[in-house]
Amino acid sequence: MSSTATDVVRLLTVKGETLAVAESLTGGLVAADLTSVPGASKVFRGSVTAYATDLKHHLLGVDAALLAARGAVDAQVAAEMAAGVRKALGADWGIATTGVAGPEPQDGQAVGTVFVAVDGPARADSGSAGGGKVEALRLNGHRAEIRRESVRSVLALLLKELASEQTGNERAQDTERNGGF
């Protein structure tokens, strides 16, 4: 269990919101990290490991023409995976990972090319259209290192989005609950 996963579960619990995960190259590692946190069942809805490209379309609603034109390792594919899992599993937030962990390139993309995405609720008070964010990563290392860093990166992106949307009152409640400052 990572401290980032712990922080994600804590913030989602404070906010009363839920999370769903769509994974490709990480093959369930994001879900495993989150569910290793005590209390995750209060916020974690579930996950879809769509390793095969056709499953990204059939299970997550990623546009088939986009997959045919660009392949599975693409920023827009990651965004659609996050939005699709959020909708499919009825969660407030969806996160996704897609990329190439190696040992061979895929869809014309080099090993270490990774896209992580988050999709969240629109916030009336912020004028936000939602949490639709994607980060492109160029990771070095062997397969396990690329997969591990992809997990860390998608959870860090979600944590950043959750923390930026937390109001002063929510921060005060969270601090009080956790005996912090």
Side-chain angles (χ1 to χ4, degrees), residues 4-27:
T4 306
T6 301
D7 290 344
V8 163
V9 169
R10 180 180 48 80
L11 274 177
L12 285 169
T13 301
V14 166
K15 296 164 79 62
E17 295 179 338
T18 57
L19 174 64
V21 178
E23 299 187 65
S24 186
L25 85 148
T26 50

Side-chain angles (χ1 to χ4, degrees), residues 82-162:
V85 79
R86 179 177 170 225
K87 180 180 178 185
L89 301 187
D92 297 301
W93 294 89
I95 58 176
T97 63
T98 188
V100 185
E104 302 294 325
Q106 177 188 337
D107 295 335
Q109 299 287 348
V111 172
T113 303
V114 175
F115 296 94
V116 296
V118 61
D119 188 76
R123 299 288 188 210
D125 56 342
S126 70
S128 170
K133 301 245 192 230
V134 179
E135 278 187 6
L137 308 171
R138 181 67 184 106
L139 305 175
N140 295 311
H142 57 74
R143 183 175 174 80
E145 291 169 326
I146 291 168
R147 294 173 77 216
R148 222 176 5 259
E149 182 58 23
S150 299
V151 172
R152 190 207 63 74
S153 295
V154 76
L155 291 176
L157 180 60
L158 175 60
L159 185 60
K160 186 168 115 177
E161 290 301 303
L162 289 170

Side-chain angles (χ1 to χ4, degrees), residues 44-66:
F44 186 69
R45 295 278 301 152
S47 65
V48 173
T49 301
Y51 212 65
T53 299
D54 65 310
L55 294 180
K56 291 170 181 64
H57 170 68
H58 293 296
L59 297 178
L60 300 171
V62 176
D63 183 87
L66 171 67

